[in-house]
Amino acid sequence: MNAAKRREIFSRFRAANPHPTTELEYRTPFELLVAVVLSAQSTDKGVNLATRRLFPVANTPDAIHALGEAGLAAYIRTLGLYKSKARHLIATCRLLSERHGGEVPAERAALEALPGVGRKTANVILNTAFGQPTMAVDTHIFRVANRIGLAPGKTVLEVEKKLLKLVPEEFRVDAHHWLILHGRYVCQARKPKCGECIIADLCEYKDKTWPAPADGAKDKRRAGRAQTD
């Protein structure tokens, strides 16, 4: 894919959604960190339901740490892997209090040193909480980047590095949000909604799925074939 296509893709995304953001509900960097850790193998909707119960009771490292693993698990048991998530978050809250004064650090190394925080989670925090131009490559972004020819790669890290290199600078802060939303709602895994896609003419996916023609269009085609027989 050439640079002109890439720029036009993100120009259209920006025109359609000038201020994209995560669908996770949060008010502080710490709430965002908790929500992102909880989102592993869980939907944003499910996480939001859990944090709506949790955050009014405990939304600081000290408050969640005071709940203990069992206490925290009671609020998040509707989520997959809730026991390990509770264990990681309690340990993370302790480290945030001991090493960072209860604040979420804005540095990758410090974030990735927290239990349950990997590169993707760190990228989400750095981007969404602190405005850094990182690319949190999840399954949606990995699929879209490869399918449309934007930044093909065999691994998540390869796609991340290509996106950081190829996405025009003016779009980098918001790019991962646009790509996630596009993959979640339009360029879906099983059957992409090419007929609803605002970048379908720029996309390099060879097996586009177009909506079936209306009955009237089918009748016209049949009539045309009959006249030529």
Side-chain angles (χ1 to χ4, degrees):
M1 181 175 288
N2 61 46
K5 273 190 178 182
R6 289 193 294 270
R7 178 171 292 278
E8 180 60 19
I9 283 172
F10 287 103
S11 293
R12 292 185 191 181
F13 283 155
R14 182 171 62 186
N17 185 4
H19 305 291
T21 189
T22 178
E23 293 185 317
L24 293 170
E25 297 172 358
Y26 74 98
R27 292 173 298 176
T28 66
F30 176 71
E31 287 188 354
L32 178 63
L33 174 61
V34 171
V36 177
V37 171
L38 294 178
S39 70
Q41 297 187 31
S42 299
T43 65
D44 287 359
K45 181 179 179 181
V47 172
N48 290 338
L49 290 173
T51 56
R52 286 172 196 167
R53 297 188 297 268
L54 172 64
F55 288 158
V57 176
N59 69 339
T60 66
D62 287 343
I64 287 184
H65 189 267
L67 292 175
E69 287 185 31
L72 176 56
Y75 288 96
I76 64 172
R77 64 174 62 251
T78 54
L79 303 176
L81 306 176
Y82 75 93
K83 290 183 179 180
S84 63
K85 290 174 182 178
R87 183 173 65 255
H88 288 151
L89 282 172
I90 293 300
T92 284
C93 288
R94 178 177 55 81
L95 291 178
L96 288 175
S97 296
E98 291 177 356
R99 299 180 183 177
H100 304 287
E103 300 294 326
V104 176
E107 298 81 32
R108 178 183 300 282
L111 284 169
E112 291 187 15
L114 299 172
V117 178
R119 185 177 183 87
K120 184 180 73 173
T121 296
N123 280 338
V124 173
I125 303 303
L126 292 172
N127 178 276
T128 306
F130 300 113
Q132 297 184 26
T134 58
M135 297 286 176
V137 179
D138 67 351
T139 55
H140 295 302
I141 294 183
F142 186 78
R143 179 178 66 256
V144 171
N146 277 283
R147 177 183 277 168
I148 73 174
L150 178 67
K154 294 182 179 179
T155 67
V156 168
L157 184 58
E158 185 179 355
V159 169
E160 177 188 331
K161 289 181 176 180
K162 282 191 175 181
L163 286 171
L164 288 171
K165 178 181 178 181
L166 298 174
V167 173
E169 185 175 0
E170 66 180 289
F171 302 115
R172 283 179 197 159
V173 170
D174 293 322
H176 101 267
H177 292 300
W178 285 318
L179 292 171
I180 287 174
L181 293 171
H182 189 65
R184 183 173 291 165
Y185 296 110
V186 181
C187 198
Q188 297 175 336
R190 293 187 178 181
K191 188 176 181 181
K193 300 178 181 179
C194 299
E196 302 175 19
C197 180
I198 62 173
I199 62 166
D201 58 315
L202 303 169
C203 166
E204 297 182 355
Y205 183 48
K206 295 180 180 179
D207 300 317
K208 291 185 174 68
T209 60
W210 300 111
D215 290 342
K218 291 181 181 178
D219 293 341
K220 288 180 180 178
R221 285 211 303 269
R222 292 193 189 103
R225 285 197 298 267
Q227 290 175 2
T228 59
D229 289 344

